[in-house]
Amino acid sequence: MSGQPPQGEPRVRARRPPASGFFIAPHIRCVESCPAPLDCAPFLASAPAAGSEHTLAQAEAVLEVQGQTPLHQAAAAGNAAVVQHLLAAAPGAATPADAAGQTPLHLAASEGHTVVVEQLLHAAPLAAVTADAAGQTPLHLAAQAGHAPVVVQLLAADPQSAEIADCQYRTPLHLAVVEGHAGVVQVLMEAAPQVTTAVIDPQYNDKVKYASSTLLHLAAQAGHAEVVQVLLAAAPEAATETDFLDRTPLHLAASEGHAEAVQLLLAAAPEAATERDMDWQTPLHLAAQSGHARAVQQLLLAVPEAATMADRDGCTPLHLAAQEGHAEPAQLLFQAAPGTAMEADAGERTPLHLAAEGGHGKVFQQLLAAAPEAAAVACIDNWMPLHMAAAGGHAQMAQQLLAAAPGTAAVENGDGKTPLALAAERGHTAVVQLLLASGHAAPRPADLLFETLRHRHVDVARCLVAAEGEAKPLLVALERAHKKLPIDAVPLSAEVVARQPLDSQDWQLVPCGSGLAAALPAVLERSEAEAGLLVVRLPAAERSRLRLLALCLSRASRGQLPREVLQQILAACAAAR
C-alpha cells in the first residue's frame, strides 16, 4: 500500500516472511506503536515451501475468504502475548466474527487455550453467548472438544449458556455426551441439571440415529461407559426410559455391542432386558441380529428366558442370528433354548430356513446338526429348506439337506416348483447336477429344458439333456426353443441325436443347422440310414463339403481304409468345420 495513513491513526508497517518458514499476509500488519518488537509469525499458519513466489498472495486470499483478523489467528494458536497486545491496541477486535460466524473466543475455546479465553472474556464478556453460523457458542465447541477447564471458565462467565441449543437442537451437554467426555459431562450436568432430553436432527452424524433420545440413549449407543456411569449416578431411572422407537438405552448398547455399557445398564435396571420396542424386539433380538456375541452372552446370563421371546414377525433371537449368519450368537442362543431351533416365525420359517436362504454355512451346519428334523419342515407356500438352498445356489447345503430329507427333492412349492426347477431357472449348475444325481429330483429334465433356455442357462440345459433318458421330449422342447427363443438350439440337438437312436418321426423334430455335423460320426457309427437323415438337415454348403470329403476319402483309401479310421477322419473334419 502507498501513501500516508489518515491523521490520528497509528502508522503500520508490513511484515516480511520470517526465516522460520511462517508468513504474514500483506494486509496483516503490526501496530507501529507496539511497546515491544513482536514477531507475530508463530500464531499464523505454516507457509508453503521457502522461496515460493506466491506465499503472500496465497495467504491473503485464504484469510480474506475466512474473514479472519490477526486476533482470530492469535486466539486459535493460543498466543497469549500477541492477543494481549492486539487487544490493547484495539479492544473492540474481540467481537468481530469470521466467515463462519465465529469470534476469536470460539477459536480459543475449541482449542482449549485457557489463558487466551480469559483474556477474551475480560475484553468482551458477551462473546461467551455469541452463536456462530451453526448456532454454537464457544461453550458448545469447548464441550465437544472435551476441554473441561475452558468449560468451567465459560460457565463462570455465563451459567445460562449451558442451556443454549444450536441449530440442530443440541446443547453443549449433548455434544459432550456423544463425544464421550465424562469430565465435561459432570461439569455441565451440575450447571444445567434440567437438560436431560435431546431432540436431535438424525443427520447430525452416524453416532446419533434416533430423535427424542435421552442423554443416556446417546451415551449407550456410542458406547461411552464412563459417561453412562455418570448419567446413571445422576438419574438411575433413565435406564428404563424409551425413545420414539420405544427403545431403552440397553436396546441401543446391545445393538452396537458395547459390552461395558450393557453391563452397567443391566446392573441399573435388569428388567430392561425384557423390554420390547415398537417391533416387539428385546435387547437380545438386536444383539443377536447384529452379531454381538458378548452382549448376547451378558443378556442371556441376566434373563435366559429372553431367548424364547418372539418379535412382531414371530422371530426369536435365534431366527435373527441365523438370518444374518452370526454363528457364535446362534450357538449361544441354541444352548440357552434348544427348542427355538424348531420354532416357526410368522412366515412359518424355522431358523434353518433362514440360514439356508442366506447361504450361511456355519450357522446352517449348527442348526442341522442340532435339529435334523427341521430339514423336512415346510414354511409358508410350502418352501422347504432345500427349496431355499437350491434357489440360492448353495450346493453344499443342498447336499446335506438331501441326506437329511431325501423326499423333499420332489416337493413342489406354492408356485408348483421343485428344488430342481428353482435351481435350473436360476442357472445353478452345481445344484442341478447334485439333484439330478440324487435320483429323487422331479420333474423330468425335459420338462425344464425350455424354461432353462429361456433364461439362457446353456450349461444347465446341457446337464438336463445328459440326464434325460428319452430323446423325443428333449427334441420337442428344443424345437420349441429354436422357434420361439433368440437362441441356437442346434448344438444341443446334436448332443441328443448323437446319444440316442431316432426314428423318422423324431428326425422331423430336429432343427436344421450346420451344428448337426458334429453328431455325424456317432450317428454314422450306429446307422447309415440315420446318417442320411442327418445330412439332409444340414445346409447345402455343408452337404457339398461332406460330399467332397467322402469322395476324397474314397479315392484315397481305394477301399483299403478300415471303417473305424474313416469315422475318425470324418469326426475330425466335422469338428474342424
Side-chain angles (χ1 to χ4, degrees), residues 312-331:
R312 189 182 296 275
D313 294 324
C315 292
T316 65
L318 181 58
H319 280 91
L320 300 182
Q323 186 174 42
E324 299 299 326
H326 301 310
E328 189 175 354
Q331 184 70 25

Side-chain angles (χ1 to χ4, degrees), residues 187-339:
V187 172
L188 289 168
M189 287 189 68
E190 293 173 359
Q194 69 278 18
V195 182
T196 58
T197 303
V199 183
I200 302 294
D201 183 337
Q203 294 181 349
Y204 167 48
N205 61 30
D206 58 1
K207 296 180 182 178
V208 182
K209 297 179 181 176
Y210 309 119
S212 302
S213 301
T214 65
L215 295 171
L216 189 57
H217 281 91
L218 303 182
Q221 187 172 29
H224 301 311
E226 290 184 14
V227 177
V228 169
Q229 199 165 14
V230 170
L231 295 172
L232 285 173
E237 67 278 5
T240 56
E241 292 185 17
T242 58
D243 61 12
F244 87 113
L245 293 176
D246 291 337
R247 291 180 172 177
T248 65
L250 183 58
H251 278 92
L252 303 187
S255 176
E256 300 294 335
H258 301 309
E260 289 185 63
V262 168
Q263 197 62 42
L264 291 169
L265 292 164
L266 280 172
E271 65 275 18
T274 54
E275 287 292 323
R276 296 177 182 271
D277 63 13
M278 65 185 301
D279 293 322
W280 297 3
Q281 292 187 330
T282 65
L284 185 58
H285 281 93
L286 300 183
Q289 188 172 35
S290 300
H292 301 303
R294 174 77 184 281
V296 168
Q297 189 174 37
Q298 291 172 302
L299 293 163
L300 286 173
L301 287 173
V303 189
E305 61 270 24
T308 62
M309 297 176 70
D311 64 12
R312 189 182 296 275
D313 294 324
C315 292
T316 65
L318 181 58
H319 280 91
L320 300 182
Q323 186 174 42
E324 299 299 326
H326 301 310
E328 189 175 354
Q331 184 70 25
L332 293 169
L333 291 163
F334 174 76
Q335 290 173 351

